Structure formats: C-alpha cells, structure tokens
Amino acid sequence: MKTLKRKLAFLGIATILLSTSLFGQSGKFLSKGDKQFRKGHYQHAIDLYTKAKLTDKTTAEVSYKIGEAYRLSNRVYLAQEYYEKALAAGGDYENAKFYLSYAYKMNEKYDEAIAQFNLYLEEGSETAFWDLAKLELNNLASIKKILDDEKKNNEYIHLYAVDSVNTDGGEYSPFIIRDSTGAATKLYYTATSESDIFGATGQGFSRLFLMQLTDTINNTGQKEKVDIPFLVEKANYNIGTVAVSKDGKTIIFARGNSGRRKDKIKDVSLFITEFNDTIWSEPVLLPFSDPKIWDSSPAFSNDGKTLYFSSTRAGGYGGTDLYRVKRRRDGSWDKPQNMGSKINTPRNEMFPYVSEDGRLYFASDGHPGFGGLDMFEATRKKKKTSIENLGLKYNSSYDDFSLVWRDTLSGYFSSNRPGGKGDDDIFFFYDKTPPKFDFFVEVGLRYGDDGGDKDGNFFAGEPILGANVKVMKRIPPKTLTAGQLEMAKIELVKKYENNVKDSLVNVLASDVKDSLVSQYAEDILEPLTAQLEAEAGEELATEYVLNVKDSLVEVYESQVKDSLATALAPAINEVKDSLIASYEEVVKDSLANPVSEEFEEVGEYTTGKYGKLKFEMDPDTEYTFVMAKKGALTKRVTFKAPPKRDVPIEELVKIGIKDTVFRQEYELDRPEVGDIITMGKGKNGYEFDQIYYDYDSYYFEEKDNPQLDKLVTFLKDNQNIKVELRSHCDDRGTDVYNLLLSQKRANFVTDYLSSKGIPSDQITGRGYGKFELKVLNAQTEEEHQENRRTEIKIVEILNQLEDQTPEEITPEAESSEEKTLPQENSQGQ
C-alpha cells in the first residue's frame, strides 16, 4: 500500500524527523536508514534497516522504525509484525501501541484490534490518540453488523481486474469521458511510470494515462500518456488524481513537489490546464490551493460548476476533509467550504465523485469500514444526509477508493486487494442483479361438485365468490453459526445416546429380566405373607401384602436391570455405537439443512369476480392457503413459489414483461352426510395422506404422527361436522379376527385425535373388518394395503357451515395431554 496522501494522489514527500536521542545509531545501515527516513524515502529506509544486525538493545528501536516506515507509506498491514516485535522487546512507543490496532484491523483480525484499542485506552486520556481509539472501537462494533448483513455481500456484484492497464506498479483513480451519446469512450487513470524512482515507495513517479475504450466489455483499447506541458520525463514530481470536464477540455490535477528545497510546492497542490485549439495551456496553481498544505483528489459536479476536493487545511475535523468550491461564470473561484461533520471525521476522507443522479461517493478510513480506506455513498433527502458503506465486494480489508460509474450497472474503482497484478490496481465492477421482477399468485376457487365452464372462468365449475383466504408464509429457519451447530449436534446425540442405551438394555435383556422378575415375584409371595402376618400378629388383607410385594419387585427389577446392563455392556456398546454413528449423520444433515415449521400470516383476502384473488409473493418461498366459505369444507393447501433463477427474468423484461403470475385453481366441497373425505394432494384432496397400516398392525410407532396431525388440523378447521373413522382390513384371516383388528385400528386413530384436542363427540371409530374391500381379489401386497385403511366419513353436519377464520394450528396450541395407547402383539391382517 502507498502513503495515505499518495494513495489519493501519490504526491508529496512526508517530512518526519526522528530525533537521534530516541533512535541511536547502530551501524552504517541504521545511520543511512535514518537519513532516508528523514527524507521520506521510506522504502529505501526499510531496505537499509532490514540489513542491520539487531541486538537486544536495538531490536525494539529498529523494529519500531520499520513499522513506522511501512505505516507512513500506507502499508500498515505490513507494519503489524514489526510493531509487535518492538513492543515485545520492551519498547514503549505510543505510535506502535495505537497503530498496531490498525494493522490488526487491516489484516481482518477484528477481535485483536478491539483488544489492542482497549489496551491503548488503558494508557489514559492524556495520550495523543485517545479520541481516535474510542472512534475506532465504535466503528469496529459497526463492522460486525455489516459483515452479518447479507445484502452487503451481494452475490450479483462481479469484479474483474482491468488487466489491460494494470501492471506490477500502481494504477489508480480511473475517470470516464463520454461521447455525445453518453457512451463511455475514454478511460483516464493515474499510473507509475518507468521514470526516476520515487524514494517513498521505491517505484517510478506517477503520470496521467488515457485508454481509448474500443472494447467496453473486456475494457481494452489503445493506451497513451496524456501529452500536456507538465508531463515531461525530467519533472521529478508525481501527477495524481485528475478531474476532467465533460467536454474534455479542462483538467484539474493534483501535483506533488519535486523533493527539492527550492520547490515552492511544499506538499500537494491543485493545478488547472485547458485545451486551446491543439495544445494544453501551461498549468497554473488554483488560487485557493495553498502551496504549503495538502490539496488533492479533485472532482467536478455534473454541471461542472462545483469542484470537490480533499484537503488538510486548517478548520477541518482532522486528517483530510472533503471540501467544495464553486466556479463563477468568469472563471474565478469562491472560497472553499468544508462539507461538514456528517461526511468528515477525525480521520481521512478523500476521492470524491458525483454520479449522474447526484449521489456523492468518497473514500474514508474514519467511517465504519473493514480495514484501510472503504468506499461510501452519501445521499441527501429532506435536508438529511445519510452515509452508507458500500459493503463487501466493493470494499475489503485493504484500501478501496476512487469509484466512478461507467453506466447504471457498471464502473471502476481502485484497490490494492489481492487479485490484481501488484500494488494499486483498477477493478471493473458489473452489477448483474436481475431486474426488479414481481411474482404474483392468482388463486381461483370453484365448487368441486359442479361441472361446466361458467362466466368465463379459467377452469370448469361454479366459481366461489366471497370466499375467505388466509395466506401464511413459512418463516425461514434461523441460521446457526458453526459453533452453535456443533453444540446442538452434541446435545442431540448425547440425549439420543442415553435413550438408546436404556432401550438396548430393555431389548437385549427383556426376556431374561422378565423371567427373573416373574420368578422373584412368585418366590417371595408366600414367605413375605407369613413374615408380614407374623410381625403384625394377625391376618393381613391380600391387597396390602401385594402392595408390599410390588414395592420389593420394583426394587429387584431395577437391580436386575443394572446387573444385566453391566453383564451385556460389550454387546450393548457395539450396537449403541453403530446406532449413534448413523444418528449423528442424520443430525448433521438436519442441522445443516433446517426446515422451519413456523408460519406467519401475511394477508387475508376475499375472492372476487370469477372466484379469483391475486397477491404478490416472494420467490422461493412456501405458502399455506387456508380457504373457507359458508356451506363448504375449509381446506388448507401448500404452494411453493419457484426461485428467480428458474424464471428467464432478463429476457422477459427486455420484451416489456415486468411480472409473472402463477395461476392456481382449487376446489372446495359442499359437504353432504355420507361423503368420504378425499385424502391426498390435488384439486379435490385435503393434503393429508391416506391412513394405511402394516400387515397385522393397528398402531403407528411414532408418538407424533405428521400424517394424523394433518387430519387433526382438518377437523379443527371444520368443527361443524362429525365424522366416523371407518377402519378396514384386507381379506386374509377370519372374519371375527379381522373385525376385532379393524376396531383396534379405529380406536387407535380416535384416541390419537382425542389426545390432540379433538372433542370426543366430533369423532367416532368403527371397525368394518374385511366386509368393505376397496380392491376385490387383491393379489399384490400393494393391493392388500389399499384395503388396510381408515377412511373419514361425514355422519352429521351441525347447522349450515358458517364462514370460518380457522385458527393457526401450532404445536403450542394443541393439547399437551399425553395418552398411553395399547400396543399388543396379535396375529391378523
């Protein structure tokens, strides 16, 4: 990285004098290094210091000097190592303590930077950088929020290094000139030349270059130096940032001194030159630019009447501030005005640029940023100025500055981040964010028991006008950090491990345990009775004796279980480890791909003409529509909006289409007593699955059953109907056995629904055995399963169904009552 001033103009030679009392000489390399340092030739000084042989006495001193040389040539990230060495060797350098924090920040070590700033503040309020340290701590807190803001890391922003102009030297401060049609035709930029070496950086002096843009896609074209009087090889000064008028006939540029004592320009100043006929005029110093102060990074307003620039002149807020100055019609200039504390900070603001739509862009290391210079956008609305960091992609922990727009979607900026050819480079950015494109869903409702095409409706059947449709959107799952994911996984696996171990003892030792406990209960009953009656001196009630016996058996059973767990430990652990390994993979996948079960209501609508309604939705989002109408069964359906990447948005926008509508049609049923509710997805279905059973089974092992839970929701949505849960078997086995088995199936579903809060008078369970087969003469197992089912039949309608606004069904709204359901072995179908 370059000096901060050179960063903006690569101009000027800093004059930092180090006293020999602080930095004693330690050999010829140290002496020569100090001499180069005093001249501002920091790279030469670094080269000499690194050749010096360090001792215990000189390590802190020389390390500090190298760190300062890197800082003063604005390569603070390289200073970190040397500041650390200086402080570790016992050096008591305030600069090192303070600027080490900046070095950490520029190396993206934000936690270390915060800690170091706090250490510096412990030195007390009398220190030179007390206020700056407090400012930076606040800025670092803001960085955390910016890093967490996904909008700031826009995946659609693409960056390309402009290799047609970048070299291993420095290229920076791009500027665009347009033709009469507004197309970008010329790219001005500043770059180091192959002329004499500038001691502060070890590179050639900077000059102004121009590339004719013949290929604006690849940013290529003919390159040339700008041939104006101040650009001569013998001129040992840097030419920095330039401002070019829209007609290309006026250039204001920043020029540094020559490094010679007789040079009247002590730091960096602004000059103006104008194109007359065929040549540029001799550059003259702008009247408001004091040769003794630092003025740089000029930029014109859109109308060319105002010049923005950066300056260290008195009356600012610290560091370099942004100023503006108006040019009168006669070519004279007003007095420069500071742009105020909303934009300027105690640090450095520079590289202003005004876009076609009036937004001010600038670089700063005083506003909350990621490291060195960051780029910011300033907008003004209702007399209020807002400053916003452009975010990641545009900004990095390195120096990012000099942004200009080429058109509404692309432009250039400068950076010394990795990815270029070395030092400062010019990068091209292209915003490929898809055009604004709205997604809508049009819901159409009709009655399911009607046919025919009526009233121009887009699907057959009588349209339902005035239906109530509540729309709920699935809430995205919370994103967990890597640490949170690991902790959640550990807790789930540990809980599972405890359950598995206990279950395996029950499974592997159940027969032995049951046999031992049964035998123990039988063996102790008679002697226990005799003992208790002898102690009491009278005959005791059988119930009392049995209660005592049960207590003893319970203790014995626990002891037997523990003993068996110890005896079977090897076998249990082998099975346990295998199960846990499998479960751990399931947990990892589940945590990495979470699915939220939470929904939020986003709107409630009423169908209008033709039974339709339309609303805007978010892409790649799941919705639930709850549709209710007087005289019809309430239905819930899910709809997943497709992601934008599946829609050819750019092509549609080009032909004038700015939104797309997804048409969804659904049917509501007008119920009648005797109707069998259609389960499964589709226009007529109610999106809960068919209730099927395994062979010779009547229950579901899972405590919470999503299949039946959807039936719970349906019955809560439609409380005005009573239903019969009709359970059936296949045609294998005896009539009596299948009749009993089907009743168990009906009872199980009824008990489950009751445990979830469905009133007992709304549901009735009845088994029909094998007397109502759905598939006659079933041959395959799939056909037999079609017969092993439970159906939902409407047996009563309480009054006419009213318009309903169904409650949102959530686990919290359900009954917490648990009910133990029987699970006995049987032989049947």
Side-chain angles (χ1 to χ4, degrees):
M1 287 183 278
K2 314 266 189 285
T3 67
L4 194 52
K5 294 180 181 179
R6 178 181 177 276
K7 182 58 73 180
L8 308 204
F10 279 71
L11 312 168
I13 300 175
T15 56
I16 304 296
L17 299 178
L18 302 176
S19 66
T20 56
S21 61
L22 177 62
F23 301 109
Q25 303 299 314
S26 61
K28 64 177 182 179
F29 290 121
L30 297 184
S31 178
K32 291 182 178 179
D34 289 344
K35 184 177 181 180
Q36 293 297 319
F37 193 103
R38 288 191 293 269
K39 289 182 177 181
H41 296 174
Y42 301 117
Q43 187 56 51
H44 294 338
I46 291 170
D47 294 339
L48 290 165
Y49 287 145
T50 53
K51 292 179 181 179
K53 185 176 181 180
L54 301 182
T55 66
D56 292 342
K57 293 182 179 181
T58 60
T59 295
E61 175 188 331
V62 176
S63 296
Y64 172 71
K65 290 179 179 179
I66 295 175
E68 284 290 272
Y70 276 125
R71 177 181 71 84
L72 291 167
S73 56
N74 209 36
R75 294 173 285 179
V76 180
Y77 69 103
L78 293 176
Q80 176 190 322
E81 173 188 353
Y82 298 96
Y83 283 146
E84 287 175 334
K85 286 181 179 179
L87 296 175
D92 187 19
Y93 306 114
E94 184 178 345
N95 272 18
K97 295 174 182 178
F98 178 72
Y99 287 114
L100 177 58
S101 308
Y102 275 105
Y104 284 138
K105 181 180 176 183
M106 294 196 71
N107 288 317
E108 299 185 53
K109 297 180 178 180
Y110 300 120
D111 291 336
E112 289 89 337
I114 291 172
Q116 185 64 30
F117 276 124
N118 280 315
L119 281 175
Y120 179 80
L121 290 174
E122 291 176 5
E123 298 279 325
S125 59
E126 298 300 318
T127 52
F129 307 112
W130 172 266
D131 291 332
L132 287 177
K134 290 194 296 183
L135 172 67
E136 279 302 320
L137 279 175
N138 291 331
N139 287 349
L140 283 165
S142 300
I143 289 172
K144 302 269 189 183
K145 296 180 182 179
I146 297 175
L147 289 171
D148 292 338
D149 190 345
E150 293 182 2
K151 294 179 182 178
K152 298 294 183 182
N153 192 13
N154 193 332
E155 62 178 308
Y156 296 110
I157 303 298
H158 294 257
L159 300 181
Y160 309 93
V162 184
D163 291 335
S164 56
V165 301
N166 292 333
T167 67
D168 56 2
E171 292 78 31
Y172 60 99
S173 293
F175 190 87
I176 291 292
I177 295 294
R178 308 177 190 281
D179 62 16
S180 58
T181 67
T185 57
K186 298 178 181 180
L187 174 66
Y188 282 93
Y189 63 97
T190 302
T192 54
S193 64
E194 297 179 357
S195 59
D196 295 339
I197 299 300
F198 181 45
T201 62
Q203 295 183 0
F205 286 89
S206 55
R207 295 288 181 261
L208 184 63
F209 289 82
L210 166 65
M211 181 171 72
Q212 303 285 347
L213 288 170
T214 55
D215 184 342
T216 56
I217 301 298
N218 296 307
N219 290 295
T220 57
Q222 184 66 36
K223 294 182 294 183
E224 60 186 73
K225 282 185 181 179
V226 178
D227 186 16
I228 47 183
F230 56 82
L231 287 179
V232 293
E233 290 299 327
K234 293 182 180 180
N236 291 329
Y237 42 67
N238 288 296
I239 302 303
T241 317
V242 298
V244 184
S245 61
K246 283 191 174 182
D247 59 10
K249 293 184 177 181
T250 300
I251 291 180
I252 293 177
F253 64 94
R255 200 210 83 178
N257 62 42
S258 65
R260 299 168 183 169
R261 291 182 182 179
K262 62 180 181 179
D263 199 324
K264 295 180 180 180
I265 303 298
K266 301 302 181 184
D267 209 321
V268 179
S269 297
L270 296 177
F271 288 76
I272 185 170
T273 179
E274 298 184 89
F275 193 75
N276 296 315
D277 296 327
T278 59
I279 61 172
W280 290 95
S281 66
E282 183 72 24
V284 295
L285 182 71
L286 284 174
F288 57 82
S289 187
D290 188 338
K292 297 179 181 179
I293 63 175
W294 187 88
D295 291 331
S296 187
S297 57
F300 280 116
S301 61
N302 285 317
D303 59 9
K305 297 178 180 179
T306 301
L307 182 75
Y308 298 86
F309 65 99
S310 183
S311 178
T312 59
R313 62 189 56 211
Y317 293 90
T320 57
D321 281 11
L322 292 186
Y323 288 79
R324 61 186 171 194
V325 58
K326 289 189 176 293
R327 191 179 192 185
R328 305 184 186 97
R329 290 186 177 180
D330 61 2
S332 61
W333 298 86
D334 285 338
K335 182 179 179 180
Q337 300 292 320
N338 188 289
M339 295 191 68
S341 60
K342 189 70 177 179
I343 289 177
N344 293 314
T345 71
R347 293 288 292 168
N348 301 282
E349 283 69 46
M350 50 198 74
F351 291 107
Y353 165 74
V354 181
S355 64
E356 293 288 333
D357 57 1
R359 290 172 292 172
L360 173 67
Y361 293 88
F362 63 97
S364 170
D365 62 0
H367 290 282
F370 298 100
L373 291 171
D374 272 26
M375 295 182 291
F376 295 83
E377 177 187 83
T379 55
R380 188 169 179 82
K381 187 176 182 180
K382 296 181 179 179
K383 297 183 179 181
K384 182 179 179 181
T385 300
S386 298
I387 309 295
E388 184 176 3
N389 187 297
L390 294 186
L392 296 170
K393 292 291 181 73
Y394 292 106
N395 290 317
S396 67
S397 65
Y398 294 81
D399 283 335
D400 306 287
F401 56 101
S402 288
L403 179 141
V404 295
W405 289 92
R406 189 180 72 176
D407 50 44
T408 58
L409 296 176
S410 64
Y412 304 90
F413 67 88
S414 307
S415 178
N416 58 359
R417 67 179 64 188
K421 290 188 176 180
D423 213 340
D424 290 322
D425 286 301
I426 295 176
F427 288 82
F428 174 69
F429 66 87
Y430 184 30
D431 187 349
K432 295 184 178 181
T433 302
K436 180 172 173 53
F437 196 87
D438 297 323
F439 277 30
F440 294 89
V441 62
E442 183 179 76
V443 175
L445 296 182
R446 70 180 175 97
Y447 287 113
D449 53 5
D450 246 4
D453 186 7
K454 299 184 180 182
D455 301 322
N457 198 28
F458 67 84
F459 54 82
E462 180 186 347
I464 305 176
L465 282 62
N468 178 277
V469 179
K470 179 191 290 185
V471 179
M472 294 185 293
K473 181 172 69 172
R474 187 185 291 276
I475 300 174
K478 294 181 180 179
T479 302
L480 300 179
T481 65
Q484 290 172 327
L485 286 172
E486 185 63 22
M487 288 301 297
K489 186 194 77 172
I490 291 173
E491 290 178 8
L492 287 171
V493 171
K494 184 176 180 180
K495 183 177 180 180
Y496 178 77
E497 181 178 1
N498 293 333
N499 293 335
V500 165
K501 184 176 181 180
D502 197 53
S503 299
L504 287 173
V505 172
N506 291 332
V507 171
L508 297 178
S510 60
D511 291 342
V512 177
K513 184 193 72 174
D514 292 345
S515 176
L516 290 173
V517 171
S518 178
Q519 187 63 47
Y520 175 78
E522 183 180 339
D523 292 343
I524 69 167
L525 180 59
E526 187 175 336
L528 177 62
T529 302
Q531 179 184 343
L532 292 175
E533 290 181 345
E535 292 174 354
E538 62 180 341
E539 185 175 345
L540 299 175
T542 302
E543 183 179 354
Y544 173 77
V545 175
L546 292 177
N547 284 339
V548 175
K549 184 206 73 172
D550 289 343
S551 298
L552 293 173
V553 169
E554 185 176 341
V555 173
Y556 178 79
E557 184 175 11
S558 177
Q559 294 172 342
V560 168
K561 184 177 178 181
D562 291 341
S563 298
L564 289 172
T566 302
L568 297 172
I572 290 173
N573 288 334
E574 183 179 350
V575 178
K576 182 192 71 175
D577 291 344
S578 176
L579 291 173
I580 289 174
S582 299
Y583 180 74
E584 187 171 359
E585 290 302 314
V586 172
V587 168
K588 285 171 61 177
D589 182 68
S590 177
L591 290 173
N593 303 282
V595 177
S596 171
E597 296 299 333
E598 296 184 72
F599 285 80
E600 62 177 344
E601 183 177 339
V602 294
E604 194 163 344
Y605 306 87
T606 303
T607 56
K609 189 176 181 181
Y610 306 130
K612 299 178 185 178
L613 60 89
K614 178 181 175 182
F615 63 91
E616 188 174 355
M617 61 182 174
D618 297 329
D620 201 19
T621 303
E622 183 177 317
Y623 292 86
T624 292
F625 306 149
V626 186
M627 304 173 292
K629 172 65 178 176
K630 179 180 179 180
L633 292 176
T634 296
K635 177 184 287 187
R636 290 179 181 239
V637 296
T638 58
F639 174 74
K640 178 68 178 291
K644 278 191 174 182
R645 62 178 176 270
D646 292 345
V647 180
I649 292 176
E650 294 187 14
E651 286 78 1
L652 293 174
V653 170
K654 286 179 182 178
I655 59 176
I657 299 176
K658 296 184 178 180
D659 59 58
T660 188
V661 179
F662 296 88
R663 290 181 170 83
Q664 297 296 116
E665 55 183 87
Y666 303 104
E667 296 178 347
L668 299 187
D669 295 318
R670 288 186 279 212
E672 295 182 4
V673 172
D675 285 350
I676 301 294
I677 302 300
T678 304
M679 292 181 279
K681 293 186 178 181
K683 295 177 186 177
N684 299 306
Y686 284 82
E687 290 204 359
F688 47 89
D689 298 332
Q690 298 284 352
I691 303 174
Y692 291 130
Y693 300 87
D694 293 335
Y695 177 75
D696 197 30
S697 175
Y698 64 89
Y699 61 85
F700 303 96
E701 292 185 359
E702 295 83 358
K703 180 180 177 182
D704 293 313
N705 190 289
Q707 179 173 298
L708 296 182
D709 288 340
K710 291 181 180 180
L711 177 56
V712 171
T713 301
F714 169 78
L715 292 173
K716 287 186 176 182
D717 284 346
N718 295 279
Q719 299 176 26
N720 288 42
I721 63 172
K722 291 186 177 182
V723 298
E724 180 184 71
L725 304 169
R726 300 162 53 87
S727 296
H728 306 270
C729 297
D730 61 34
D731 60 357
R732 293 173 290 184
T734 66
D735 293 347
V736 174
Y737 184 83
N738 279 305
L739 196 59
L740 293 173
L741 178 60
S742 65
Q743 189 60 49
K744 289 180 180 179
R745 289 172 176 169
N747 292 344
F748 180 89
V749 176
T750 302
D751 289 343
Y752 186 92
L753 298 181
S754 296
S755 73
K756 297 294 184 178
I758 302 301
S760 58
D761 61 351
Q762 190 181 1
I763 52 177
T764 302
R766 182 178 177 185
Y768 285 83
K770 61 178 183 178
F771 298 113
E772 292 189 7
L773 297 175
K774 192 174 182 180
V775 179
L776 298 175
N777 301 315
Q779 301 297 317
T780 66
E781 186 57 37
E782 288 76 14
E783 291 175 335
H784 283 304
Q785 187 175 65
E786 287 288 320
N787 290 325
R788 298 193 301 266
R789 69 199 188 280
T790 289
E791 299 170 327
I792 296 94
K793 179 180 179 180
I794 298 176
V795 294
E796 186 177 350
I797 301 176
L798 305 177
N799 304 320
Q800 184 68 14
L801 286 173
E802 299 293 334
D803 284 332
Q804 302 180 50
T805 304
E807 62 176 315
E808 184 175 348
I809 307 299
T810 64
E812 291 76 13
E814 297 170 354
S815 171
S816 60
E817 180 183 357
E818 294 186 2
K819 189 167 184 178
T820 303
L821 302 178
Q823 298 185 13
E824 60 187 69
N825 295 322
S826 61
Q827 293 180 350
Q829 292 73 40

